[in-house]
Amino acid sequence: MSAAVGVPESFIARKAAGQTVKKSVNMEVVGRMYLALVLFTLLKETDLWSVADKFQMSRGFIQSLLSSSSAFCSCVLHFTEELEELWPFRALLKELTRRLSYCVKAELVPLMEVAGVMEVRAKQLYNAGYKTLTHLANADPAVLSETIENLFRKQADQIVASAKMLVNEKAAALQEEVDELLTAPSDLPTAPEPN
């Protein structure tokens, strides 16, 4: 990967060993690659503190990097939505934007969309078997509040209601897409009239 962006592997090996490097390398490219590695590690580990320690950077800088990357990714996503030929990138960028915004493991992202659910609560829900929005939307608030530590019944009611609303919104959007696909286009060519 490093060679593809213009940073020879020998440069990285020498720098990692603390040796001097004789080759001329574009340090701006090296810096961008390093920040990409920070983001990649952050998406894998999701713990800002350990990533800050690993890369010897301040947590504030990493949080700022995460925030600006999320904003940029969102802008590129909106750009791809405007240009039909960029359709393959939409799903990828949509997921990446969500991951950068929430900074949690991929399996927790759907749970983080629910109002009132933050990272710790999402982990609790996931570990208790509520792995999807559908699980939460169909959950019994009484069972949910008994199962999840420090979750009051009122909060459980709100979480279930929010999950139901999100599921209904997604179902409505999918139904709209189905209806659009099944409707004959108004400009459909017809057979010519016989003379």
Side-chain angles (χ1 to χ4, degrees):
M1 183 233 8
S2 64
V5 295
V7 181
E9 194 175 332
S10 59
F11 174 85
I12 295 171
R14 287 184 175 278
K15 278 296 204 183
Q19 299 173 354
T20 57
V21 180
K22 297 173 187 168
K23 284 187 177 180
S24 174
V25 176
N26 184 341
M27 291 308 288
E28 190 174 314
V29 172
V30 172
R32 282 197 307 255
M33 187 182 93
Y34 191 73
L35 293 178
L37 288 172
V38 171
L39 284 171
F40 177 73
T41 306
L42 195 56
L43 288 175
K44 276 182 31 190
E45 295 182 15
T46 70
D47 180 19
L48 198 105
W49 295 74
S50 64
V51 173
D53 289 341
K54 183 185 242 177
F55 288 92
Q56 298 176 348
M57 296 177 152
S58 72
R59 289 182 302 280
F61 177 80
I62 292 179
Q63 186 66 47
S64 174
L65 173 66
L66 187 63
S67 179
S68 61
S69 299
S70 175
F72 181 74
C73 193
S74 180
C75 289
V76 174
L77 172 62
H78 291 300
F79 180 73
T80 62
E81 289 171 345
E82 295 299 319
L83 296 174
E84 195 60 40
E85 57 271 15
L86 296 177
W87 67 266
F89 297 103
R90 285 187 205 131
L92 172 70
L93 289 170
K94 193 172 200 174
E95 182 62 26
L96 182 60
T97 301
R98 288 170 52 192
R99 294 271 316 274
L100 288 169
S101 297
Y102 295 124
C103 193
V104 294
K105 294 190 182 205
E107 60 267 13
L108 298 180
V109 170
L111 301 176
M112 296 285 292
E113 292 178 348
V114 177
V117 175
M118 301 304 278
E119 183 179 2
V120 173
R121 182 72 72 212
K123 285 179 183 176
Q124 287 178 319
L125 291 166
Y126 189 85
N127 292 335
Y130 300 97
K131 299 182 185 304
T132 65
L133 278 177
T134 309
H135 283 116
L136 277 179
N138 292 296
D140 178 358
V143 173
L144 193 61
S145 63
E146 290 172 15
T147 308
I148 306 298
E149 186 179 340
N150 298 323
L151 181 64
F152 299 109
R153 175 60 190 262
K154 184 177 179 183
Q155 292 171 308
D157 288 335
Q158 290 172 341
I159 287 172
V160 170
S162 177
K164 282 181 181 177
M165 186 181 70
L166 285 169
V167 166
N168 287 336
E169 285 174 3
K170 288 183 182 213
L174 288 172
Q175 186 61 52
E176 191 175 301
E177 195 172 326
V178 166
D179 292 344
E180 186 178 309
L181 285 171
L182 295 176
T183 304
S186 59
D187 60 347
L188 184 68
T190 56
E193 292 183 23
N195 292 339

